[in-house]
Amino acid sequence: MKIIFGLIIVFSFIVSVYSQNDIFPDNPDWISQALGHIATGLGVADINNDGWADIIVANGNDIQRQSLVVYYNNGDRNFPTAPSWQSADIDYLGHLAVGDINGDNLPDVAVSVFLGPGGFSDPGKVKVYFNDGGQLESIPSYESSDHMFTFSCALGDADGDGDLDLAVAGGQPYNMGVGPYQTYGRVYYNQGGVIDPLPGWQSQVTMGALDVDFADFDNNGYLDLAFACHLTPNYIFLANSQGQLNTSPDWSSQDLSYYANSLTIARVDSNDYPDLIISDNDQLGGAGKYKAYYFSNTPAGQNMPSWTSGQGGYGSAVLASDLTINGKPDLLTGRWWGRVELFEDSAFTFTRNPLWSSLPISVIEAFVLRDVDKDGQYQSQFLDTVSTDSIHVIDLRNTRVEEIISLSINSLPLLPWDDYCFLPGGSWISTKSPLVAGDQIEVIYLASEKQDLMVSNWDSQIGNYLFYNRRPSTGFISQENIPEKIRIRVYPNPFNNHCRFQFPFAA
């Protein structure tokens, strides 16, 4: 894609640098009632359509069949400590994914069911709770027809048709009389708002995948699929020029540490290609370190980690985002019976050891970053010119996206879910119709310089956590060092709240 230049007023500001202790407090600001919940999957979205992001938690893990719950945001910097809503059904629930699947502009929730009712001898499934007018249905109206052990799922446009498809990570690492168990990666395609009951894509290789997510790793304008695996290498499957996912992996890790738990994706090094970050868990072997694979071009050949953490253990949650507001992602990590830790960026990689950790120890499973109290949100504009025909993915290259407000192509507004799809808090947009060379893109979106941190804990005696971001508001955003684009940030003038200015930031 080309660079767009415009008439831009440039102002210089001195941006204060805040230590990690100025981002999150040492203790959580909110703790839910434990209620015996074995909290696993975690999501954040405005479920009840009141303009405030709510917290969604899937409970159960492989320990006890439990329900999906939602904590509604009160809009006054508070959440109730007991769930505002819970599902009527129960299962061994794993991780979840949130997005508008059926195109009614309300977020739905897909959940992996790790085990069937019979436990480790019984494969699970994937299911979807659709949002009916601002409340999730009490019994999910979609369940996959096939069964598999699945701990994680992800939503993304796998076929480039502008709606959200459902990817599923399959595998079961434990020797509980029937395991360990490997299976195929799966994608269930969305047909006009209806998820197919059987997968339309399956990997040729079997794997012990515990996490999965979408990203355009090769920058060809289609979303690719990454799996974090236990028992087998980690895999990336690229989409070809027709938007079809390859069934054989285009990349696999070769460091022989096959003990992955979770993944996150971000542009960490100095080029424009997304990188893959993995948490290893040493419960069944290995060193249990966090590691990152940096890709300097299409993922191929770069099969060994470029960065590993100094210490190991029961690695679980990982999430990369620009928390220090310097244009480069930092890395949040968690462990079972461990603390939330923050590795800061350092010369296009991460510090070897964390520079901040929370005080309480908990059995951490998942993270989500969103500005749930809206105290750091700002409006931003993304401009670009398409340089290649037949692309579908627009990547905002911003880890702090909160909400897509509008998308226009050649000054013509497109309609969400009729013409394109995205995820709450996600940085990519996927269009129904292909974009061609010369198309002018304009995206207006909300981002935040103060993302708050939600944490799910699967110790049934410990609630879930919320850490409010406490870094002082600057009223403006520092320069982001992402190459080959010009992005315009729009935010209030810190000296006059009634005026707005535009400033350029390298992106």
Side-chain angles (χ1 to χ4, degrees):
M1 292 186 179
K2 299 177 182 177
I3 298 174
I4 290 182
F5 295 97
L7 296 176
I8 299 172
I9 304 172
V10 179
F11 287 79
S12 296
F13 291 101
I14 299 174
V15 178
S16 300
V17 178
Y18 299 99
S19 70
Q20 287 75 17
N21 287 333
D22 286 323
I23 299 177
F24 298 118
D26 293 336
N27 289 290
D29 298 283
W30 173 85
I31 304 175
S32 67
Q33 296 180 43
L35 301 177
H37 289 174
I38 302 159
T40 307
L42 181 65
V44 174
D46 183 8
I47 295 294
N48 61 356
N49 200 30
D50 66 350
W52 294 89
D54 309 308
I55 299 174
I56 310 123
V57 181
N59 299 300
N61 205 320
D62 59 2
I63 299 171
Q64 184 177 333
R65 296 176 71 206
Q66 296 186 338
S67 58
L68 181 77
V69 301
V70 179
Y71 302 85
Y72 291 146
N73 191 333
N74 291 333
D76 58 359
R77 202 176 165 84
N78 286 296
F79 286 83
T81 58
S84 312
W85 173 93
Q86 68 178 28
S87 64
D89 67 329
I90 57 172
D91 266 313
Y92 293 103
L93 299 183
H95 287 197
L96 59 83
V98 183
D100 183 3
I101 295 172
N102 60 358
D104 62 357
N105 290 307
L106 294 169
D108 311 303
V109 179
V111 187
S112 280
V113 178
F114 186 36
L115 311 173
F120 280 94
S121 63
D122 190 7
K125 58 193 174 186
V126 65
K127 58 185 181 179
V128 177
Y129 297 84
F130 285 96
N131 194 324
D132 183 10
Q135 179 172 294
L136 297 178
E137 55 191 357
S138 59
I139 300 291
S141 57
Y142 171 85
E143 293 184 355
S144 60
S145 295
D146 57 340
H147 290 78
M148 77 300 296
F149 297 103
T150 172
F151 199 64
S152 295
C153 59
L155 291 169
D157 188 2
D159 52 1
D161 65 352
D163 57 23
L164 295 175
D165 307 303
L166 179 58
V168 172
Q172 195 276 94
Y174 298 104
N175 185 7
M176 305 293 287
V178 294
Y181 179 85
Q182 299 180 31
T183 188
Y184 304 98
R186 292 167 165 85
V187 174
Y188 300 81
Y189 288 118
N190 188 335
Q191 310 291 345
V194 179
I195 301 291
D196 288 337
L198 292 171
W201 177 91
Q202 285 192 167
S203 62
Q204 289 184 10
V205 296
T206 60
M207 61 185 86
L210 289 178
D211 203 5
V212 59
D213 206 358
F214 288 91
D216 185 4
F217 282 98
D218 56 358
N219 290 337
N220 74 339
Y222 292 95
L223 290 175
D224 312 307
L225 200 54
F227 291 89
C229 300
H230 198 110
L231 311 172
T232 63
N234 305 304
Y235 292 117
I236 295 175
F237 297 82
L238 298 178
N240 61 27
S241 58
Q242 286 74 47
Q244 299 170 334
L245 285 169
N246 297 327
T247 56
S248 59
D250 297 274
W251 176 90
S252 60
S253 59
Q254 295 181 3
D255 48 308
L256 302 181
S257 183
Y258 300 157
Y259 301 98
N261 180 280
S262 298
L263 67 83
T264 186
I265 300 165
R267 289 173 172 82
V268 183
D269 58 357
S270 58
N271 62 55
D272 198 34
Y273 288 87
D275 305 307
L276 178 63
I277 304 156
I278 297 284
S279 67
D280 273 358
N281 187 304
D282 67 0
Q283 183 185 44
L284 299 178
K289 294 188 176 183
Y290 309 108
K291 55 190 180 183
Y293 302 89
Y294 297 157
F295 303 123
S296 58
N297 47 44
T298 299
Q302 299 156 319
N303 309 99
M304 302 295 290
S306 306
W307 171 87
T308 56
S309 61
Q311 302 297 319
Y314 291 158
S316 54
V318 284
L319 186 56
S321 188
D322 180 14
L323 291 166
T324 52
I325 316 300
N326 65 355
K328 295 175 288 185
D330 311 290
L331 181 64
L332 284 165
T333 65
R335 299 189 186 279
W336 301 340
W337 297 281
R339 295 179 170 87
V340 180
E341 296 179 331
L342 177 63
F343 294 78
E344 189 183 349
D345 73 273
S346 176
F348 298 106
T349 188
F350 300 118
T351 54
R352 186 156 172 79
N353 294 300
L355 299 184
W356 171 82
S357 63
S358 64
L359 285 179
I361 292 175
S362 60
V363 188
I364 297 167
E365 183 56 40
F367 293 148
V368 173
L369 284 165
R370 290 289 297 279
D371 188 354
V372 294
D373 61 354
K374 300 186 180 183
D375 65 343
Q377 290 187 358
Y378 61 95
Q379 184 172 294
S380 187
Q381 182 187 40
F382 175 88
L383 301 175
D384 207 355
T385 301
V386 177
S387 61
T388 305
D389 284 345
S390 299
I391 71 165
H392 288 261
V393 173
I394 301 166
D395 196 327
L396 303 180
R397 267 73 167 178
N398 190 336
T399 62
R400 303 188 305 273
V401 174
E402 291 284 310
E403 178 184 346
I404 305 298
I405 298 173
S406 66
L407 167 63
S408 297
I409 305 297
N410 301 323
S411 300
L412 298 176
L414 273 61
L415 296 176
W417 315 119
D418 287 341
D419 300 318
Y420 63 94
C421 64
F422 59 92
L423 296 179
S427 67
W428 55 259
I429 299 169
S430 187
T431 62
K432 180 178 182 179
S433 299
L435 306 178
V436 299
D439 280 347
Q440 304 290 310
I441 299 169
E442 180 188 35
V443 181
I444 305 297
Y445 65 99
L446 288 179
S448 176
E449 60 171 330
K450 296 184 66 176
Q451 293 177 311
D452 308 309
L453 174 63
M454 276 61 64
V455 182
S456 65
N457 295 302
W458 58 259
D459 186 321
S460 61
Q461 303 304 310
I462 299 175
N464 304 300
Y465 293 162
L466 168 58
F467 297 82
Y468 282 111
N469 192 316
R470 66 181 188 181
R471 70 183 300 275
S473 294
T474 61
F476 54 91
I477 308 300
S478 63
Q479 181 167 331
E480 292 190 297
N481 299 311
I482 307 174
E484 298 181 358
K485 292 188 186 295
I486 295 294
R487 191 174 313 149
I488 298 174
R489 300 280 182 232
V490 185
Y491 44 80
N493 174 4
F495 307 110
N496 182 348
N497 290 330
H498 301 288
C499 299
R500 301 185 75 84
F501 294 89
Q502 293 183 329
F503 306 90
F505 291 94

